[in-house]
Amino acid sequence: MSTLRDLAEEHTQLRPADIDHLHRIAGDWQLLSDMSFADLLLWAPVDTDGTFLCVAQVRPTTAPTAYQDDQVGRIVGGPEVAHLEVAYRQGRIWREGDPVWYGDVPARHEAIPVRLRTADGEAGEVVAVVGRDTNLSTARTPSQLELNYLTTADDLAQMIADGTFPPPRHPGETTSAPRVGDGLVRLDANGKVTYASPNAQSAYRRLGYASHLVGEDLAALHRRLANDPLEGTDAANAVLAALRGDAPPRREIDARGATVLTRALPLMPAGVPIGALVLVRDITEVRRRDRALITKDATIREIHHRVKNNLQTVAALLRLQARRVAMPEARVALEDSVRRVASIALVHETLSMSSDEAVELDTIVDRVASAATEVAATEVPVGMRRKGSFGVLPAEIATSLVMVLNELLLNAVEHGFPPAEAGDEADGAGLTAEASESTGGGDPLAAPEVVVSAHRFRKQLHITVTDNGRGLPAGFDADSGGNLGLQIVRALVTGELRGSIELRDAAGGGTEAVLVVPLARGGVDGRSAS
């Protein structure tokens, strides 16, 4: 199904500013639908012959719908849309006419012209029409709550016709809460409560106000109830701003261990301020869960920090032990263990500073590459370079991938570039430690270099580690050959990362390792770097 913007751009002559205004209406009109107990359909004119296209639809949560089928994308004309034509041409709300039938459902038609105000604040031309269609099959005598809903809905409908609804949205705010059913308070022009729904009354009772709200000055009440005087002043000022015709941001009130979210909307039918509508929602449990999540997040970061410290302690102990070992083979093995433990500690260090279980891998790869050139047992200076970005990866992928890259980079530095005087007798080639004979090498005049390349393609991370060294030995078998480091690489790539690895001669000489790692893991995808 096409979006509102797609439909409007394809079938209508609406300007971008008109379409943006229709988007704002569709983002906030659940409020009007619920208070009207009616379906709302947004009709845009297709041409000048009275044909209209439905570009958006919303059903009420407070009453049965008048339409079982989706109306979006439907183009209609003729007598069926005569009420829309009147509202569009004459710029007034249309409420005349007898009920119509949709199958066996009787419905009452209304049509509300949609205006977009000009830059100087004047009412502009009509750009679309909101159809308000009420299912009459369950019609009954309305209660006091329903009467207040309907009265307020009529005021908001007039504001749509005036171009003053919906109000501008504040940065970071959504349109999901509070809703009509959460709690509704209506104020007169002096800020006194004329009606409060039962849910609104209950929300204020949680804040410690036991009396009935009707007749109370809501702004003054907010000041009295709030634990924090500044918070109470902000909530009170929001109510006063709405009474002046402004649309203030939402405010929260904390009192007696409860938290209530408030949203104040001005009521200005025909441009005359007649009061305000205040929607309230008890979000005590939501904020309690938020605090629990914050505490949990801080605990997780602290755990990562302690794991990093413990790993560094283990690495230090292994380093001390290596200095006391006389056998060269044992010393090398311990130093390799130090390096592997340190690479894991890098990931936990990053996670200890992150707000979620995700790692920005580029910085870690750069640090691992720099460390590989410093600790590698080689007399030849080797340059390191990264191409592309790894982006943000889940911790479960990042830890194993860093270990893999650590092994590949260190082996490339140590075994791809033997000392010049050793010549072809040097042990090792490319990314392995077992090459004793090269099938060819890179440019002998080129500076020794290892390049790490990364790019994403179809939810996969493709990584290439390339050196311009000696290349792989003749007859090298990647599946069976290799030292402990290469065995670790194969085990991590195929096991933990569920990916694949291929070792081969590089096109321009040297060796390259090609890794393909799937990013989707348990419903969590790696994110590209921003």
Side-chain angles (χ1 to χ4, degrees):
M1 175 61 68
S2 300
T3 64
L4 186 159
R5 185 176 298 276
D6 293 337
L7 290 170
E9 290 178 344
E10 181 178 356
H11 298 284
T12 75
Q13 301 299 317
L14 293 176
R15 302 163 299 181
D18 300 333
I19 299 175
D20 289 341
H21 184 61
L22 299 186
H23 264 293
R24 288 193 295 271
I25 289 177
D28 232 340
W29 67 349
Q30 185 69 59
L31 170 68
L32 178 59
S33 176
D34 289 343
M35 288 194 296
S36 300
F37 307 99
D39 292 75
L40 299 184
L41 286 75
L42 187 54
W43 297 96
V46 175
D47 48 39
T48 58
D49 64 355
T51 303
F52 289 85
L53 165 70
C54 181
V55 296
Q57 176 183 2
V58 64
R59 293 180 171 90
T61 62
T62 53
T65 180
Y67 300 97
Q68 297 300 324
D69 298 327
D70 189 17
Q71 302 296 303
V72 176
R74 184 178 172 218
I75 298 178
V76 294
E80 186 177 355
V81 294
H83 60 299
L84 303 179
E85 182 73 9
V86 171
Y88 183 72
R89 299 297 178 191
Q90 300 181 15
R92 66 177 181 86
I93 297 178
W94 184 94
R95 291 193 174 99
E96 308 91 79
D98 297 325
V100 296
W101 289 81
Y102 295 104
D104 57 353
V105 177
R108 180 177 64 247
H109 272 331
E110 295 180 62
I112 306 165
V114 176
R115 280 191 175 86
L116 176 63
R117 299 189 77 82
T118 61
D120 57 2
E122 297 296 325
E125 61 183 3
V126 176
V127 297
V129 178
V130 171
R132 182 163 61 165
D133 301 336
T134 307
N135 185 332
L136 299 178
S137 61
T138 58
R140 55 186 174 83
T141 303
S143 64
Q144 184 182 11
L145 179 145
E146 293 168 337
L147 287 173
N148 277 275
Y149 276 14
L150 292 170
T151 300
T152 306
D154 287 342
D155 292 335
L156 294 180
Q158 184 59 54
M159 292 172 66
I160 289 179
D162 298 336
T164 56
F165 184 86
R169 188 178 304 174
H170 296 274
E173 284 192 347
T174 64
T175 58
S176 59
R179 295 197 177 192
V180 171
D182 296 325
L184 178 146
V185 179
R186 179 162 178 142
L187 309 180
D188 63 17
N190 296 318
K192 299 295 182 65
V193 177
T194 61
Y195 176 76
S197 70
N199 282 346
Q201 189 72 50
S202 296
Y204 280 94
R205 191 176 297 274
R206 292 289 302 275
L207 294 175
Y209 184 74
S211 301
H212 203 278
L213 284 170
V214 173
E216 280 291 326
D217 184 325
L218 195 64
L221 181 62
H222 285 178
R223 288 194 183 94
R224 295 200 310 268
L225 290 178
N227 291 334
D228 185 341
L230 292 178
E231 185 181 83
T233 299
D234 288 342
N237 289 340
V239 173
L240 298 176
L243 292 172
R244 293 192 302 268
D246 298 328
R250 300 168 196 188
R251 300 295 183 186
E252 292 183 9
I253 304 174
D254 289 300
R256 298 169 61 92
T259 304
V260 170
L261 176 65
T262 67
R263 182 190 184 192
L265 296 170
L267 294 177
M268 302 176 58
V272 179
I274 62 170
L277 173 67
V278 181
L279 301 175
V280 299
R281 180 185 179 189
D282 183 355
I283 58 171
T284 304
E285 289 304 310
V286 175
R287 289 295 171 260
R288 184 190 63 79
R289 289 194 294 269
D290 287 346
R291 289 190 290 269
L293 288 174
I294 292 173
T295 302
K296 179 181 177 181
D297 180 66
T299 302
I300 291 174
R301 288 202 303 271
E302 178 62 21
I303 290 173
H304 283 301
H305 179 73
R306 294 188 182 188
V307 170
K308 183 262 297 184
N309 289 343
N310 291 338
L311 289 173
Q312 289 179 337
T313 301
V314 171
L317 293 174
L318 291 173
R319 193 177 295 111
L320 288 173
Q321 187 66 44
R323 294 172 183 171
R324 295 175 178 268
V325 173
M327 295 180 59
E329 295 85 354
R331 185 182 303 110
V332 170
L334 288 172
E335 289 173 349
D336 286 345
S337 298
V338 169
R339 173 173 45 78
R340 290 164 183 147
V341 171
S343 66
I344 301 175
L346 277 177
V347 177
H348 286 281
E349 180 183 5
T350 303
L351 288 171
S352 69
M353 298 180 291
S354 174
S355 60
D356 56 11
E357 288 291 290
V359 180
E360 175 64 61
L361 207 64
D362 289 346
T363 303
I364 295 180
V365 172
D366 292 344
R367 291 175 63 179
V368 168
S370 176
T373 60
E374 294 175 1
V375 305
T378 178
E379 300 176 5
V380 180
V382 179
M384 285 282 183
R385 182 161 55 93
R386 174 173 56 83
K387 293 172 59 178
S389 175
F390 288 82
V392 180
L393 296 175
E396 59 182 347
I397 295 179
T399 302
S400 299
L401 186 56
V402 167
M403 290 188 65
V404 168
L405 291 174
N406 182 51
E407 297 294 336
L408 293 177
L409 291 171
L410 192 65
N411 283 341
V413 173
E414 287 186 342
H415 307 302
F417 308 98
E421 64 272 17
D424 292 334
E425 297 178 0
D427 182 24
L431 298 169
T432 74
E434 295 189 340
S436 60
E437 184 178 332
S438 176
T439 60
D443 184 354
L445 300 179
E449 184 181 46
V450 178
V451 179
V452 183
S453 304
H455 73 278
R456 295 175 181 239
F457 179 71
R458 293 181 179 176
K459 293 188 177 181
Q460 291 180 332
L461 180 61
H462 293 249
I463 306 165
T464 305
V465 180
T466 307
D467 67 63
N468 59 354
R470 296 174 49 169
L472 292 171
F476 175 77
D477 185 358
D479 293 329
S480 60
N483 61 357
L484 176 61
L486 191 54
Q487 294 174 13
I488 291 174
V489 167
R490 282 200 299 266
L492 289 175
V493 171
T494 59
E496 296 295 325
L497 297 176
R498 304 174 192 172
S500 62
I501 181 170
E502 179 186 1
L503 297 176
R504 63 195 184 195
D505 290 315
T511 309
E512 67 180 8
V514 180
L515 289 82
V516 178
V517 178
L519 294 178
R521 186 71 56 82
V524 178
D525 292 342
R527 300 190 297 274
S528 299
S530 56

